[in-house]
Amino acid sequence: MKEIEDILKAKKSHLDQIQVPEELEGRLRGALNKKTKLTRVNRLKSYAAAVVILVAMLLSFNYDAIAFYSKQLLGYDQVMNASLKQLSDLGKGQSIEKSIRFDNGVSLTVDYVMLDENQLLLFYTVNDPSGHVDEDNISPIISLKAFWGEYHFQNSQGTMNEEKTEMKYLASFEPPMPFEKDLTLKFSLKQQAAEISFTLNRNTAMGHTLKKTLNKTIEVDNTTITVDSILASPTKTVINGSMQTIFELAKAQLSGEQFRPADLTLKLIANGKEVQLQGGGTSSGMKGRTFHSDYDPLPVDLENLQLEVVSFVAEHDVNQQFRLNKTSNGEKQSLNILGQVVEVTKIETSQGETHITISSDESLILSRVYLMMDGKKVSLEQTIMGKSDKQYDGTIIHTRTLRFLGTGDELDLNVQRMSYSKSNHEMLEIPID
Amino acid sequence: MENESIQMIKRAKMGDKEVLIELIMSQKQDYYRLAYVFMKNQEDALDAMEDMILKVYENIQRLNDATAFYSWSKTILVNCCKNNLRRKNRVILIRNIPEGSHDDVFKVKDEQIDIEKHLIKLNQKYQEVLKLRYYLDMDYETMSAILKIPLGTVKSRIHTGLKKLKQSMGVSNG
């Protein structure tokens, strides 16, 4: 016990060094003067407005609830996007309504299933009459077992009601093979396993709207990006591709990994309008480094479709040191790091700390950086977020301050890794016939 | 409490903003550190203090016992901090990836804030008593007044909190 107290006390001495910022008094005065202008009359007015809004919300909310009730999809409107709502309004999908109750009163109900070529969407409800649905240990990661194998859970989202008695989940799974009909949902509550079986009605499945092998390549930042295929279905649109083949990946590994692709931004444009991105990811495996981007479903009246490679983010090894000119008064120092510009706008020392303010393109991040103080290597303590300025040409310059503990006469910025984005804006035409 | 302070509190009750600011600034170190212990950074600590002074200004008429001003306003500050923390938990700013966000930089940080890491795992009610007791050196009576919990509860929470912290860190008995 003594030891813990000592550690806590040691931490206290660190806290004791914290100085009250000088701006405190100004901030307090500003807060008082800004907010207290609300007179009593105004306040009454705002209460009245609040009551009106509340009543309106209650009315409109109930209205929605009635509309959804007939389709057994009550309460899911928070987890569904607009296109899913449309599908459920059209009665697409299959109602299941099977549930299981555990000994402690917690129950899980499978309400509804929607199936197409991209995914199987499972709508389910966890109910806990005691009002602790957020603490129940039903893992949201569940699995779907079928005769020929298990279908993996991909993602899910849920919303809880105010009373914490009910949680509505919408989970996405890989679509089961065409011949699979009987599925079993497996889940557990505190090691107590349970399952719900149901039979898929394939007549309600929605198939796909567009399926194409593309095999198109694009060069960005010395990397070849291959867009392999597109699969559009009524619930979502998926673009699949690869960034490094397994051979390239192995080569990079052997040479000490100079470069790691981190993120790729693709824009899908249907009938001239951007399709909302849902998510995406990259993975490394036997096929090399692959990626997928998920978007909302394509419009029904599709006339043309394009894919734009907007930017490509990769992390690069730098391992370089840059001497900082401490003396230059108000003069900016420009560092050229692998062809990218980082401007040092201010170097300040106060209360035994060194603060270095830098600005660069918003996508640039010094992902591993140290400060050498008279030859001593000091790791970064904190980055204080600054501001972002939009330039006339549309680029955004991000200014922030790096905080290091300690000071020194000779300062060198030791940049080991850096990630930045390369813009490309190359357009791919996707044939739709 | 000195007569002068009581006079000032009376003037603040009449709506004198400058006096109110003066009252708080006279114990600025205490207020600021209290907010900082909860919020862990300057910007959020200042925000919480802004919220506090507004609440104090709006409700000071209801304060009957002028001598209780400091503990009363600190209770408000603690509540403002908790509210802001709750709100902050809901917002996830994906844009703000800090410089040096690579795993190994995280590891370096981890070692520095070892105790913090274990402390935040505790229930909020244990965290706050331990922070006030050890980081701010508060006595039991003050804590009881600020947190609005009985003296015995303060003591038992500190005791249980330390025990839980010990379990969490796996420190041997000593």
Side-chain angles (χ1 to χ4, degrees):
Chain A
M1 205 70 110
K2 199 84 204 109
E3 262 180 70
I4 295 272
E5 291 190 285
D6 288 343
I7 299 174
L8 283 167
K9 278 177 187 154
K11 177 85 204 224
K12 176 187 183 297
S13 61
H14 179 73
L15 265 169
D16 282 343
Q17 290 164 10
I18 289 167
Q19 298 295 324
V20 179
E22 281 170 13
E23 61 188 289
L24 175 64
E25 188 168 348
R27 292 273 299 255
L28 292 179
R29 186 168 290 117
L32 269 183
N33 290 337
K34 193 166 62 190
K35 298 276 175 64
T36 53
K37 280 178 189 147
L38 260 186
T39 62
R40 208 156 271 252
V41 179
N42 267 339
R43 203 173 288 176
L44 274 181
K45 268 189 202 158
S46 49
Y47 281 140
V51 168
V52 170
I53 291 168
L54 198 70
V55 170
M57 271 165 70
L58 282 172
L59 285 178
S60 56
F61 178 76
N62 283 338
Y63 183 75
D64 261 353
I66 293 160
F68 271 100
Y69 189 71
S70 57
K71 292 186 187 67
Q72 280 80 43
L73 275 172
L74 177 68
Y76 284 108
D77 34 337
Q78 292 285 332
V79 285
M80 285 198 285
N81 59 32
S83 31
L84 282 186
K85 272 183 204 160
Q86 229 167 35
L87 291 174
S88 82
D89 283 347
L90 290 172
K92 301 280 184 189
Q94 180 189 351
S95 182
I96 306 284
E97 292 179 74
K98 280 192 174 183
S99 72
I100 275 205
R101 189 176 297 276
F102 289 97
D103 297 340
N104 61 356
V106 176
S107 67
L108 187 146
T109 310
V110 176
D111 295 318
Y112 208 79
V113 168
M114 267 188 209
L115 175 67
D116 66 17
E117 258 184 62
N118 269 322
Q119 61 183 343
L120 183 148
L121 289 172
L122 190 82
F123 295 76
Y124 68 98
T125 309
V126 177
N127 199 292
D128 182 355
S130 70
H132 296 94
V133 73
D134 53 333
E135 294 161 26
D136 291 332
N137 293 321
I138 288 193
S139 160
I141 297 173
I142 50 183
S143 71
L144 212 49
K145 180 102 178 65
F147 187 74
W148 294 99
E150 202 159 343
Y151 296 98
H152 295 289
F153 162 89
Q154 289 173 325
N155 58 65
S156 80
Q157 40 183 323
T159 51
M160 184 170 60
N161 64 355
E162 289 259 317
E163 297 80 32
K164 296 190 179 175
T165 54
E166 193 178 79
M167 190 90 103
K168 295 264 180 197
Y169 283 104
L170 171 55
S172 161
F173 290 87
E174 292 174 322
M177 300 292 222
F179 42 79
E180 299 274 27
K181 277 187 105 168
D182 295 311
L183 299 176
T184 303
L185 178 72
K186 300 181 106 176
F187 53 95
S188 63
L189 174 79
K190 293 180 185 139
Q191 270 96 46
Q192 200 184 336
E195 45 186 54
I196 293 178
S197 297
F198 57 92
T199 306
L200 269 184
N201 176 3
R202 288 269 171 195
N203 292 331
T204 61
M206 292 176 278
H208 67 258
T209 51
L210 179 69
K211 194 175 182 177
K212 278 255 155 20
T213 308
L214 299 169
N215 273 334
K216 300 216 169 172
T217 56
I218 298 164
E219 285 281 330
V220 203
D221 202 16
N222 302 325
T223 311
T224 309
I225 294 167
T226 311
V227 181
D228 294 333
S229 63
I230 179 169
L231 175 55
S233 67
T235 62
K236 71 171 174 181
T237 306
V238 179
I239 304 265
N240 275 305
S242 51
M243 288 192 236
Q244 278 169 313
T245 62
I246 188 73
F247 175 69
E248 285 168 326
L249 206 60
K251 209 170 71 180
Q253 202 88 43
L254 284 176
S255 61
E257 265 211 283
Q258 294 292 311
F259 161 86
R260 289 158 291 270
D263 192 22
L264 176 69
T265 309
L266 299 174
K267 207 192 261 181
L268 188 65
I269 301 156
N271 298 347
K273 263 201 216 144
E274 187 180 349
V275 185
Q276 177 71 38
L277 182 74
Q278 288 184 349
T282 62
S283 61
S284 305
M286 283 310 290
K287 288 186 204 154
R289 200 185 288 268
T290 56
F291 67 86
H292 70 96
S293 289
D294 300 354
Y295 302 86
D296 274 357
L298 298 177
V300 183
D301 53 340
L302 186 65
E303 281 161 11
N304 55 63
L305 191 61
Q306 290 138 328
L307 186 70
E308 185 184 349
V309 178
V310 179
S311 65
F312 175 60
V313 181
E315 190 178 47
H316 303 255
D317 279 345
V318 182
N319 295 326
Q320 284 181 55
Q321 216 155 286
F322 302 89
R323 173 57 51 93
L324 301 178
N325 308 332
K326 237 179 126 181
T327 44
S328 58
N329 265 342
E331 212 175 284
K332 289 177 184 172
Q333 186 185 354
S334 197
L335 309 178
N336 183 331
I337 311 179
L338 300 185
Q340 303 292 309
V341 179
V342 174
E343 265 191 350
V344 179
T345 50
K346 205 159 72 181
I347 301 174
E348 276 183 330
T349 48
S350 72
Q351 298 165 10
E353 292 180 359
T354 305
H355 293 195
I356 297 174
T357 305
I358 58 171
S359 59
S360 69
D361 186 83
E362 66 158 351
S363 72
L364 188 146
I365 288 172
L366 303 175
S367 44
R368 201 194 283 182
V369 64
Y370 297 91
L371 187 65
M372 308 295 288
M373 298 176 182
D374 302 326
K376 207 180 115 223
K377 193 169 170 183
V378 179
S379 58
L380 179 72
E381 183 69 16
Q382 186 195 10
T383 303
I384 301 161
M385 284 305 154
K387 54 181 175 109
S388 297
D389 293 316
K390 200 163 185 176
Q391 305 293 300
Y392 289 117
D393 59 356
T395 56
I396 294 173
I397 298 294
H398 181 212
T399 305
R400 66 277 196 197
T401 302
L402 310 179
R403 187 178 144 230
F404 297 91
L405 298 184
T407 54
D409 291 328
E410 288 193 344
L411 299 178
D412 296 276
L413 199 64
N414 181 323
V415 181
Q416 300 201 343
R417 286 184 187 171
M418 169 175 79
S419 73
Y420 60 87
S421 136
K422 265 267 163 78
S423 300
N424 186 280
H425 299 292
E426 192 165 329
M427 220 37 127
L428 281 183
E429 210 50 60
I430 300 178
I432 54 170
D433 35 79
Chain B
M1 198 182 277
E2 302 140 33
N3 223 352
E4 193 191 343
S5 304
I6 291 176
Q7 285 308 318
M8 281 169 74
I9 291 164
K10 278 187 182 150
R11 272 166 54 207
K13 272 183 143 182
M14 318 253 276
D16 191 331
K17 292 176 191 169
E18 282 305 312
V19 170
L20 183 61
I21 293 170
E22 207 180 309
L23 274 167
I24 288 176
M25 289 305 287
S26 71
Q27 290 203 12
K28 60 178 180 185
Q29 195 93 327
D30 288 3
Y31 282 105
Y32 182 69
R33 282 193 187 152
L34 183 60
Y36 194 94
V37 158
F38 277 90
M39 307 310 293
K40 296 187 191 135
N41 69 62
Q42 172 176 328
E43 204 40 48
D44 291 340
L46 287 174
D47 281 345
M49 288 195 65
E50 283 187 349
D51 294 348
M52 172 204 68
I53 198 164
L54 266 179
K55 286 235 164 66
V56 167
Y57 181 78
E58 282 165 7
N59 295 300
I60 196 161
Q61 277 94 344
R62 293 192 211 158
L63 178 72
N64 295 324
D65 178 7
T67 54
F69 174 80
Y70 282 110
S71 76
W72 172 74
S73 53
K74 281 172 192 166
T75 305
I76 291 179
L77 179 58
V78 168
N79 289 336
C80 289
C81 288
K82 286 187 195 167
N83 276 339
N84 288 359
L85 281 175
R86 225 171 285 144
R87 214 174 306 147
K88 222 171 90 179
N89 281 344
R90 253 180 276 150
V91 189
I92 302 164
L93 293 171
I94 296 174
R95 264 267 127 91
N96 286 1
I97 301 168
E99 228 80 25
S101 67
H102 214 266
D103 342 332
D104 51 358
V105 181
F106 271 132
K107 226 176 212 161
V108 174
K109 295 288 281 185
D110 261 5
E111 284 152 20
Q112 287 166 354
I113 55 160
D114 209 20
I115 190 128
E116 257 327 83
K117 194 174 80 186
H118 292 278
L119 201 56
I120 56 170
K121 276 198 240 156
L122 297 185
N123 191 311
Q124 175 69 28
K125 63 183 183 188
Y126 299 124
Q127 278 189 44
E128 60 191 30
V129 288
L130 290 181
K131 283 177 179 171
L132 298 188
R133 178 77 191 94
Y134 291 100
Y135 293 173
L136 300 178
D137 248 348
M138 270 186 200
D139 56 39
Y140 296 144
E141 283 81 12
T142 318
M143 288 167 68
S144 156
I146 287 180
L147 296 173
K148 291 264 172 286
I149 49 176
L151 199 61
T153 313
V154 172
K155 288 180 186 166
S156 71
R157 279 190 189 167
I158 289 180
H159 184 78
T160 318
L162 280 178
K163 212 157 82 184
K164 284 187 186 275
L165 195 56
K166 191 184 75 173
Q167 278 165 0
S168 161
M169 295 178 75
V171 178
S172 59
N173 271 312

